[in-house]
Amino acid sequence: MTDLTKATCEACNADAPKVSETELAELLRQIPDWNIEVRDGVMQLERTYAFRTFKHALAFTNAVGEIAETENHHPALLTEWGKVTVTWWSHSIKGLHRNDFIMAARTDELAKGADGRK
Ligand SMILES: C[C@H](O)[C@H](O)[C@H]1CNC2=NC(N)=NC(=O)C2=N1
């Protein structure tokens, strides 16, 4: 099983494959703290991180934004007092690509080193 935290995203266009059910089960095992949400028929990965202050939450938000820009793969980010909700999915295929699991694992790595985690 490849280590998702060391992987990089591949260019994802409209005909890129969604993850299969088998891949989904295997990839979810690497990001056990993430939930699957389905919104308007689109499968998404979602996790909420708790922080002591809004300032810490904002700093983490910006750190996630930096890796998103680097990988050209972008999340939905909800930054609130004391928490950040990160949601990954691939707009181009209206579902989950391996990229989304890579970025969820990379988000977890960022959180491990983030200041102000509760
Ligand atoms: C043109 C640009 O490469 C694409 O629009 C990228 C940008 N970031 C993206 N982010 C996500 N989550 N899904 C996409 O399909 C996507 N596409």
Side-chain angles (χ1 to χ4, degrees):
M1 184 170 16
T2 53
D3 182 349
L4 292 175
T5 61
K6 296 189 174 37
T8 56
C9 293
E10 61 189 51
C12 179
N13 48 38
D15 54 14
K18 288 191 178 81
V19 291
S20 67
E21 281 189 28
T22 308
E23 289 166 329
L24 182 65
E26 187 260 325
L27 290 164
L28 278 174
R29 275 195 290 277
Q30 294 193 59
I31 51 166
D33 297 313
W34 288 73
N35 297 312
I36 294 279
E37 302 292 344
V38 179
R39 295 187 173 99
D40 299 326
V42 178
M43 195 178 277
Q44 304 171 341
L45 296 171
E46 189 160 285
R47 182 177 180 183
T48 297
Y49 300 88
F51 293 89
R52 288 200 305 276
T53 68
F54 184 81
K55 194 170 180 180
H56 288 121
L58 193 55
F60 176 69
T61 301
N62 288 325
V64 178
E66 286 301 321
I67 64 167
E69 281 293 284
T70 303
E71 296 292 336
N72 190 34
H73 197 72
H74 303 86
L77 293 161
L78 174 60
T79 305
E80 303 171 85
W81 184 87
K83 58 182 177 179
V84 179
T85 300
V86 186
T87 308
W88 291 101
W89 77 99
S90 293
H91 303 263
S92 51
I93 60 172
K94 295 184 174 58
L96 289 178
H97 185 275
R98 189 170 181 276
N99 289 346
D100 299 298
F101 292 85
I102 290 168
M103 295 309 284
R106 299 268 301 271
T107 305
D108 279 346
E109 288 300 293
L110 280 180
K112 283 178 194 159
D115 291 336
R117 287 286 306 280
K118 273 201 284 190

